[in-house]
Structure formats: structure tokens, C-alpha cells
Amino acid sequence: MAKRQLNRRQNWRIGKIQEERQARASRREQRATQELEGGDLGPEEPGLVMAHFGVQVEVEALEGDHAGQVFRCHLRANLPTLVTGDGVVWRPGADGSGVIVAQLPRRSELCRPDSRGQLKPVAANVDRIVIVFAPVPEPHANLIDRYLVAAEHAGIEPLLLLNKADLIAPDDSQLPQLLAAYRQLGYRILEVSAHDGAGLDALQSELDDHTSVFVGQSGVGKSSLVNRLLPDADTRVGALSELTGKGTHTTTTARLFHFPGGGHLIDSPGIREFALSHVSRDDVEAGFIEFRELLGRCRFRDCRHDREPGCALLAALEEGRIQPQRMASYRHIISSLPTQDY
């Protein structure tokens, strides 16, 4: 069954209802925060956001008597939006809760627009984006490319991770071609299986001593990988929809896990689309690494790389230096940008 499309008024009403609910929750949270601050709060301590639940967040204490303990904390009203991976300053309460009083500067952040086009951070202070895909649900090169553009824009190193490698069909020619295309571009790719454990040691070595975030479609097995890498995590795992063959959402909020040997992993909710409306045309072009040495070499300075004579990218496409699939993906992303950037 096709997904029902909502008209503008229906979208506005849904957005309005959500805003009112958020406002009510925020007022309740402010009252709770005021009650906490009116009582006995401990001294300010550094903390790490482990997960976000609406108007509250889970914070791990990093120093002092509470080091290693996790507290459900309220937020002061003047704070910016916090996400998993944020460093914060917080004060513990007497009842096992606490209050976050400040956000520490971010080293990096991965962002994407929400359903209303407003830019929302997904994870903070990560140094590696692990783009997870699988033979099923069918991988979409355009979604992978969108993540690669976002990683380049954020200055975060990408790693392509093929999970469910045990499900590659012997007669599947498309997936090996997809892998070969990214390897030719110089992207690092790991092939693993959360089912039989193949390749997990190599993956663990890649994740050690880094703060990584898992991203990808629903159903590619991100939570299964977390459970194999961290058996005590016990994250929920969902099956593919029998009707659509697509993944079902089991991870509903990004959560941070620690590796015993050092390093952290953030498991983010699966998505089927990743909009890039927050980046410019120049950012998209810079995100396609094979374009770099060609940009600025077109005959016309305002070349759109479509049908213009003397286009360096079109010449490279004809010569086989740019893959047709990548050029098609680039054009698809460009066409989805706001008009002023297109």
C-alpha cells in the first residue's frame, strides 16, 4: 500500500499539535527543574550525554564520587538542543536525578533536517561515521552518497560497513559492483555478519579508541551489530516488514555505548531518507571526492554540469573517470536542494 500523502494544511495541523505538546512538556520540565534547583543540588560536574528522551537526557558522570553512574537529568530552559555525545556541566540532585546547567563546546556534529526542514543535530563529538548497509533491505547508493556528503561537510571520517555479508546471493552482480565502485574511489569498506560473527574482530579494531556513530536504513542490522559487539547492551532488534521488505524502526533514540578497550559507539535510529537541504551546491560537489580535481576547470564559471559545452565533469563522465551511477546520484541530490541553491 502506498504511503498516504498529507496536504499542506494537514502537515501544518500535525506540526501545530506537536509544538503544543512540546510546549506543555517543556513547562512541566521547567517546573520540575525549578523544584530541583530550589532544593539541595550537588556541585557542578562534567558529564556525557548518553541518550535523549524528549525534555530529559541521560547523563553519565565523568568525575568525582558519581563517576560512571548514569542520571536522568532535567535541562535548564536557556540551553540549546542537546544530543547524544554532548559534553555537559550538570549538578546531581538528592533523588538520583540532576540538572544540566551548561553545554560544552562540540568538536563535531552530524546534522540533518527534520520533517519540517529544520536542522537538527543527530550526534555530537564523533570522529567516524559508520554507514551501515546490507544485501536486504536493498542498498540505495543515493542514500550512501548522501551520508558521504554529510560526513565530508561535517569533517568526519566515513567508513562503509556491509552487514549481513552471509546473505549475498551467488548471482547478485549489483552489490559487488556497488562495493567495487566505492573501493575504486578510495573509501574503506568492511564486510561483516552479525549473524555468524564474520569480520567482527576487524570491525572492533576499527572502532576502538574512536567515537563512532552507526547510521543507515532501518533493517540493516545496526542493533544486531551492537548486540554482537556489546552483548550486555541488549538493544531491540526488528525484523523486515513482510509487506515492503523494508526495515522496521526498533531504535527510537540515539544511545551511546562504551567499549571495554576504549572508544564509544552511538547507535542512531534507522531512516529511509537523509535530506541535505542544509548544505549548499558547493558542499555537495565537494562531497563527491572524484569531482575535486575537476571543479573550476569548466569553460563557464557558473557551469551546472548538465549539458554545457566545455564541462570538465561531463568530459570525465564520458572518459569513464566519473561513474554514471555517481553522476546520477549527484544530480538527484542537487535537484532536491532548495531552489536558491539549485
Side-chain angles (χ1 to χ4, degrees):
M1 183 185 298
K3 184 177 180 181
R4 186 169 67 92
Q5 297 295 316
L6 302 178
N7 60 38
R8 182 178 299 180
R9 182 168 182 80
Q10 289 172 322
N11 277 317
W12 177 85
R13 289 184 61 190
I14 291 172
K16 189 70 174 176
I17 292 171
Q18 290 175 340
E19 289 176 359
E20 291 173 351
R21 288 176 177 171
Q22 291 170 357
R24 289 195 296 270
S26 179
R27 288 193 292 270
R28 289 195 299 269
E29 188 65 17
Q30 289 177 25
R31 288 195 295 270
T33 302
Q34 290 169 358
E35 291 174 1
L36 269 174
E37 292 183 332
D40 294 326
L41 288 177
E44 293 184 353
E45 301 180 16
L48 177 65
V49 174
M50 305 291 286
H52 197 295
F53 299 97
V55 293
Q56 294 184 345
V57 298
E58 284 188 355
V59 173
E60 179 183 30
L62 299 180
E63 295 180 1
D65 296 337
H66 301 111
Q69 298 180 41
V70 177
F71 293 77
R72 183 66 69 96
C73 290
H74 305 270
L75 287 75
R76 280 189 174 168
N78 60 344
L79 288 176
T81 301
L82 297 178
V83 294
T84 304
D86 262 323
V88 296
V89 178
W90 72 291
R91 299 179 64 188
D95 59 351
S97 61
V99 175
I100 296 176
V101 298
Q103 176 196 41
L104 298 178
R106 291 172 176 166
R107 300 189 307 274
S108 66
E109 62 180 9
L110 176 65
C111 299
R112 75 180 186 97
D114 62 14
S115 59
R116 291 179 290 171
Q118 297 179 345
L119 191 61
K120 299 291 185 183
V122 176
N125 299 318
V126 299
D127 52 43
R128 180 166 293 168
I129 297 175
V130 182
I131 305 168
V132 186
F133 57 105
V136 287
E138 180 183 354
H140 296 289
N142 185 254
L143 180 58
I144 295 174
D145 291 337
R146 286 172 179 269
Y147 279 124
L148 291 173
V149 170
E152 188 70 28
H153 180 67
I156 304 173
E157 179 187 6
L159 172 67
L160 300 183
L161 180 62
L162 172 68
N163 188 26
K164 306 183 185 181
D166 54 302
L167 297 183
I168 300 177
D171 58 347
D172 185 348
S173 60
Q174 293 186 347
L175 185 55
Q177 290 176 4
L178 182 70
L179 298 177
Y182 289 113
R183 286 196 173 102
Q184 183 180 340
L185 292 170
Y187 288 111
R188 292 187 305 115
I189 301 176
L190 289 181
E191 300 182 33
V192 304
S193 171
H195 175 68
D196 60 23
L200 291 185
D201 288 341
L203 174 59
Q204 184 67 71
S205 297
E206 287 285 348
L207 298 177
D208 284 344
D209 300 320
H210 290 278
T211 299
S212 306
V213 57
F214 275 0
V215 298
Q217 291 174 260
S218 301
V220 295
K222 298 187 298 297
S223 295
S224 296
L225 287 169
V226 172
N227 287 336
R228 287 300 298 257
L229 294 168
L230 295 161
D232 294 335
D234 193 25
T235 59
R236 292 179 59 208
V237 177
L240 297 182
S241 166
E242 294 182 1
L243 179 63
T244 66
K246 297 179 180 179
T248 55
H249 300 280
T250 52
T251 301
T252 56
T253 186
R255 179 174 285 279
L256 186 145
F257 302 94
H258 298 305
F259 290 119
H264 317 289
L265 174 64
I266 298 175
D267 183 22
S268 68
I271 62 169
R272 292 173 187 159
E273 297 178 357
F274 190 89
L276 289 172
S277 56
H278 62 297
V279 304
S280 68
R281 184 188 187 98
D282 290 343
D283 292 329
V284 175
E285 292 177 351
F288 281 74
I289 56 177
E290 66 269 44
F291 291 5
R292 290 176 181 171
E293 63 179 20
L294 302 170
L295 296 174
R297 296 190 178 186
C298 299
R299 181 185 303 175
F300 302 106
R301 188 172 60 181
D302 60 347
C303 183
R304 296 292 180 175
H305 319 305
D306 189 11
R307 302 180 185 85
E308 295 87 348
C311 173
L313 268 64
L314 293 180
L317 180 64
E318 290 183 6
E319 296 166 4
R321 290 185 289 144
I322 293 178
Q323 301 160 23
Q325 173 269 316
R326 288 276 287 175
M327 193 65 177
S329 186
Y330 160 75
R331 287 171 172 163
H332 187 274
I333 294 172
I334 289 296
S335 68
S336 69
L337 296 182
T339 305
Q340 61 268 26
D341 290 324
Y342 181 73

